[in-house]
Amino acid sequence: MNAATTVPGSPVRSALRAERIKFTTLRSLWITPLVGLLLTVGFTTAVAATLGGKDESITADPGVGVHYGLNFGQAALVCFAVLLFGQEFGTRMIGLSLTAVPQRGRLYGAKLALGAAVALAVGLVGTAGAFAGYAAFVPERWNGPALVRSATAGVLYPVLLVVLCLGLTAALRNLTAAMGLLLPTVFLLSPLLSGVPVVRHGVQFLPDRAGRYALLYRDDPQIAYGHWTGLLIMALWAGAAAWGGLYRLRRQEV
């Protein structure tokens, strides 16, 4: 194999390696997804242990109970995604990163790849742990297509959430603005707007709302699409945000 065939791949590997080193050496970057994992599994297990036999709201649809902890774990994932890119804008270290990796698309792609990989690991372990914690206290038949869909959505939801937040952070180019926008949106916007009759129908197409519908077992007659379509809607939002972040990064000076 000659040099001409090996050189093109080396910049990509170098960019990925640089992002991996940042992730493993900066405490805030690896602690936040770990916290998200612990919250996801811990809250699901705790709620199943204390309310599993008393509260039908978490047992009528097993998807609600199994993924209860994700309501809290996703906050840490949002923080992780924002910090992964936003802190470089906040400390002006983005200039050094672009000096090391002048190709902006390559730098951006490396961050997306790292963020998605970490989120996938959290999704896999978190979903397995949440199912185990729920099943330990709430008897349930763990079979059928609803289980497969709910588990798949539990694994992919963190990945899509991180890609979405990374893209918006790159577009905003400001850590404080991204954190101030994304956390309230994930926790407050959908629940508040769902109670407003005028906009209630449109709220179901927001990314977090659509993604979380895919986690459920039962159909909701008030939702205009199916569970798998909900996951697709969230993926489209994540793809649009990723493209917007790349467009802004390429067009604007840092």
Side-chain angles (χ1 to χ4, degrees):
M1 182 177 295
N2 57 41
T5 61
T6 59
V7 171
S10 60
V12 175
R13 289 196 297 269
S14 297
L16 290 171
R17 180 173 179 272
E19 294 304 319
R20 178 181 60 80
I21 292 173
K22 293 177 189 176
F23 173 73
T24 55
T25 55
L26 293 175
R27 185 178 300 175
S28 60
L29 290 184
W30 61 263
I31 282 182
T32 44
L34 179 59
V35 170
L37 175 61
L38 295 175
L39 290 175
T40 298
V41 178
F43 268 96
T44 291
T45 304
V47 168
T50 56
L51 301 177
K54 305 174 184 177
D55 191 347
E56 290 187 0
S57 66
I58 67 168
T59 57
D61 187 326
V64 174
V66 169
H67 299 291
Y68 188 89
L70 189 58
N71 292 304
F72 305 92
Q74 67 181 349
L77 292 173
V78 170
C79 293
F80 164 67
V82 173
L83 288 172
L84 190 59
F85 214 166
Q87 65 179 359
E88 294 197 25
F89 287 107
T91 59
R92 308 306 300 173
M93 292 295 291
I94 186 66
L96 290 177
S97 295
L98 288 173
T99 300
V101 186
Q103 178 62 259
R104 298 188 179 199
R106 186 177 297 141
L107 173 67
Y108 185 61
K111 288 188 178 295
L112 283 177
L114 174 69
V118 172
L120 180 61
V122 172
L124 285 168
V125 179
T127 299
F131 269 94
Y134 183 83
F137 300 98
V138 181
E140 184 61 44
R141 294 180 179 178
W142 302 110
N143 52 35
L147 167 65
V148 175
R149 184 191 65 243
S150 182
T152 302
V155 172
L156 295 181
Y157 183 92
V159 178
L160 297 175
L161 180 65
V162 166
V163 171
L164 174 72
C165 295
L166 264 172
L168 291 176
T169 302
L172 292 170
R173 292 153 42 96
N174 186 293
L175 186 149
T176 304
M179 200 77 77
L181 171 67
L182 290 168
L183 282 176
T185 297
V186 169
F187 283 99
L188 298 176
L189 185 62
S190 293
L192 289 177
L193 292 181
S194 63
V196 181
V198 179
V199 296
R200 183 181 300 165
H201 183 74
V203 171
Q204 62 184 301
F205 295 98
L206 291 176
D208 60 313
R209 198 73 167 184
R212 292 193 63 79
Y213 183 58
L215 301 171
L216 303 181
Y217 277 44
R218 297 185 176 181
D219 296 332
D220 185 343
Q222 297 184 351
I223 302 296
Y225 48 80
H227 295 279
W228 285 115
T229 305
L231 200 63
L232 176 61
I233 291 172
M234 187 179 186
L236 292 174
W237 275 98
W243 179 86
L246 177 61
Y247 179 84
R248 183 79 191 278
L249 185 64
R250 282 178 168 172
R251 291 301 180 100
Q252 300 291 328
E253 293 297 326
V254 295

